[in-house]
Amino acid sequence: MSESPITRLLPWVSPDGKTCILLSDGRGESGLSRVADRMEDVQLEMADGLLDHAADMLGGDTATDRQLRFLGEQLSAALRDVRRVAESRGARLDRAR
């Protein structure tokens, strides 16, 4: 008997902002699943780099309002990505128990 299909939250959204879900056989070995794993890793690395940049920028007093606004927008986007990764990985951990 084959395994029941499972869903996986993908680390991106559709062009119109809708959640993307992968329906798989549960083994996590599909090509799209591997792409999603790599994308999650890239998103986490980018968030780390952005945090370092934010610390540098906020540590001084030369940042303009425009630069700080842009930094806030980028931090907000990175936080959304990291939250989506955490939600996806948490769901997969719950199923593994």
Side-chain angles (χ1 to χ4, degrees), residues 15 22 28-29 33 37 47 54 60 66 73 76-78 92:
L22 172 64
E29 298 173 4
S33 185
D37 289 341
R66 185 175 182 203
E73 291 167 356
S76 179
R92 285 180 276 153

Side-chain angles (χ1 to χ4, degrees), residues 37-77:
D37 289 341
R38 286 193 300 271
M39 181 64 144
E40 286 179 351
D41 290 341
V42 167
Q43 288 172 324
L44 294 174
E45 289 172 15
M46 289 176 66
D48 282 341
L50 187 57
L51 284 172
D52 291 341
H53 178 65
D56 291 343
M57 184 180 282
L58 296 172
D61 59 355
T62 60
T64 66
D65 287 347
R66 185 175 182 203
Q67 289 171 322
L68 292 173
R69 191 173 309 106
F70 182 75
L71 176 63
E73 291 167 356
Q74 297 307 304
L75 286 168
S76 179

Side-chain angles (χ1 to χ4, degrees), residues 40 44 81-91:
E40 286 179 351
L44 294 174
D81 289 343
V82 169
R83 184 173 180 261
R84 178 176 295 278
V85 170
E87 184 179 345
S88 178
R89 290 184 179 184

Side-chain angles (χ1 to χ4, degrees), residues 12-20 84:
W12 55 79
V13 294
S14 70
D16 56 348
K18 293 183 180 176
T19 298
C20 293
R84 178 176 295 278

